[in-house]
């Protein structure tokens, strides 16, 4: 029974939110199952819930910081394709305000839609020197046929979870040195967060300092250029990549 109480509270809180609601539910603002975004220094992003009454021109927003729902103008954000994800009542969202007009939202991200397993089909490449190596072993079967039989796509990407937890998907742990093909490297992201509208993906790296080895976070700052229920497009420093949701 104790395990059901937080979910009952969450359900009641979400169903009572509307643009005319003048009461802030403190339980919903403190529930870790709703918001995992802890503000970091320099992040101006607002985190909260989408309320009833959202349209293509206005966003009704209830901040996790408390207070009454606030209405933001999103007309220009819609025109610039900066409404990332479709908003429904009770969705966990991130809002970046216009620096010159606090009534205008420049970008809105549906974090509930951003969460999940995102993958793409990665094709391998022949390992360097593999043709020469196979030929030197006097293999009767055609070398190109051997390589072609291994050219199969691998679903790889990452999972974005609550509490800023990320995990790699599709990581190949077998020794690729013994395979005729090599798949692209999968980064072992372990954390994620939104920072001023950008997606920050972090992975732990071991760094030697003198005689000691310490662990540091290596960050990739990524622009979200498209988000829908089953589609995600991200712009990395080396190019843009599309993902689909894997259930």
């Amino acid at each position: 029974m104790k395990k059901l109480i937080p979910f009952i509270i969450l359900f009641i809180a979400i169903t009572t939110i509307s643009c005319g609601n003048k009461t802030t539910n403190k339980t919903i603002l403190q529930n870790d199952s709703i918001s995992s975004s802890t503000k970091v220094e320099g992040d101006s992003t607002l985190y909260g819930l989408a309320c009833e009454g959202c349209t293509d021109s206005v966003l009704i927003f209830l901040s996790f910081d408390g207070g009454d729902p606030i209405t933001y103008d999103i007309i220009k954000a819609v025109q610039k394709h900066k409404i990332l994800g479709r908003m429904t009542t009770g969705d966990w969202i991130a809002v970046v305000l216009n620096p010159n007009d606090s009534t205008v939202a420049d970008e809105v991200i549906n974090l509930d839609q951003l969460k999940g397993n995102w993958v793409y089909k990665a094709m391998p490449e022949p390992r360097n020197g593999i043709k020469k190596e196979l030929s030197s072993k006097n293999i009767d079967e055609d070398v190109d046929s051997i390589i072609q039989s291994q050219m199969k796509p691998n679903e790889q990407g990452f999972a974005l979870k609550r509490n800023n937890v990320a995990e790699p998907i599709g990581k190949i742990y077998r020794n690729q040195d013994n395979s005729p093909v090599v798949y692209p490297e999968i980064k072992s992201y372990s954390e994620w967060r939104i920072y001023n509208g950008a997606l920050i993906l972090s992975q732990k790296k071991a760094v030697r300092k003198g005689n000691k080895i310490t662990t540091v976070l290596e960050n990739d700052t990524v622009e979200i250029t498209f988000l829908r229920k089953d589609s995600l497009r991200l712009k990395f420093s080396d190019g843009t990549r599309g993902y689909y949701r894997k259930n």
Side-chain angles (χ1 to χ4, degrees):
M1 183 63 184
K2 290 183 179 180
K3 293 183 178 179
L4 292 175
I5 292 176
F7 295 99
I8 295 173
I9 295 174
L10 171 60
F11 176 78
I12 294 173
I14 290 177
T15 55
T16 58
I17 294 173
S18 70
C19 63
N21 183 16
K22 298 302 181 180
T23 302
T24 301
N25 190 310
K26 298 300 182 182
T27 303
I28 200 170
L29 303 183
Q30 297 170 357
N31 194 322
D32 289 338
S33 68
I34 295 178
S35 173
S36 63
S37 294
T38 302
K39 296 274 282 189
V40 297
E41 185 177 355
D43 182 19
S44 61
T45 311
L46 303 179
Y47 300 96
L49 301 177
C51 297
E52 183 181 352
C54 295
T55 68
D56 289 339
S57 59
V58 297
L59 170 72
I60 313 298
F61 176 73
L62 177 64
S63 173
F64 286 146
D65 291 334
D68 296 332
I70 303 173
T71 300
Y72 292 116
D73 182 333
I74 59 170
I75 293 177
K76 289 186 178 179
V78 170
Q79 294 172 346
K80 295 180 179 179
H81 306 289
K82 287 295 185 178
I83 304 300
L84 301 166
R86 299 191 182 281
M87 308 300 155
T88 58
T89 302
D91 283 348
W92 172 38
I93 62 176
V95 179
V96 178
L97 298 183
N98 185 293
N100 301 315
D101 189 345
S102 61
T103 66
V104 175
D106 283 347
E107 183 176 14
V108 183
I109 306 170
N110 189 323
L111 300 181
D112 272 330
Q113 284 191 9
L114 183 60
K115 289 191 296 87
N117 302 327
W118 296 104
V119 298
Y120 71 99
K121 290 185 177 180
M123 290 299 297
E125 294 182 352
R127 181 161 57 85
N128 289 337
I130 188 62
K131 286 190 176 184
K132 182 178 180 180
E133 180 181 328
L134 292 177
S135 298
S136 67
K137 294 180 180 179
N138 297 318
I139 296 177
D140 294 332
E141 188 177 353
D142 181 72
V143 172
D144 287 330
S145 296
I146 296 175
I147 296 175
Q148 194 62 36
S149 68
Q150 299 298 311
M151 297 291 287
K152 299 177 181 179
N154 178 45
E155 285 186 327
Q156 59 188 54
F158 48 80
L160 303 181
K161 301 183 176 184
R162 290 288 189 184
N163 302 314
N164 301 111
V165 174
E167 293 179 354
I169 295 177
K171 200 169 183 66
I172 298 175
Y173 294 98
R174 66 176 181 267
N175 186 355
Q176 294 201 68
D177 290 339
N178 295 327
S179 173
V181 298
V182 178
Y183 287 89
E185 177 189 3
I186 299 178
K187 292 193 175 183
S188 298
Y189 294 125
S190 59
E191 297 182 21
W192 72 280
R193 69 172 59 253
I194 298 297
Y195 187 85
N196 293 330
L199 173 63
I200 308 297
L201 297 170
S202 305
Q203 63 175 337
K204 295 179 180 179
K205 287 284 189 176
V207 177
R208 179 180 292 277
K209 293 183 178 181
N211 296 326
K212 295 183 179 180
I213 296 179
T214 60
T215 300
V216 299
L217 282 180
E218 182 179 270
N219 298 325
D220 285 339
T221 301
V222 185
E223 179 185 354
I224 305 170
T225 61
F226 183 84
L227 173 63
R228 286 295 183 265
K229 181 180 178 181
D230 296 315
S231 300
L232 174 66
R233 188 165 60 244
L234 300 178
K235 185 178 181 180
F236 293 83
S237 60
D238 59 350
T240 300
R241 175 170 293 146
Y243 298 82
Y244 60 91
R245 189 183 298 276
K246 181 177 176 63
N247 296 322

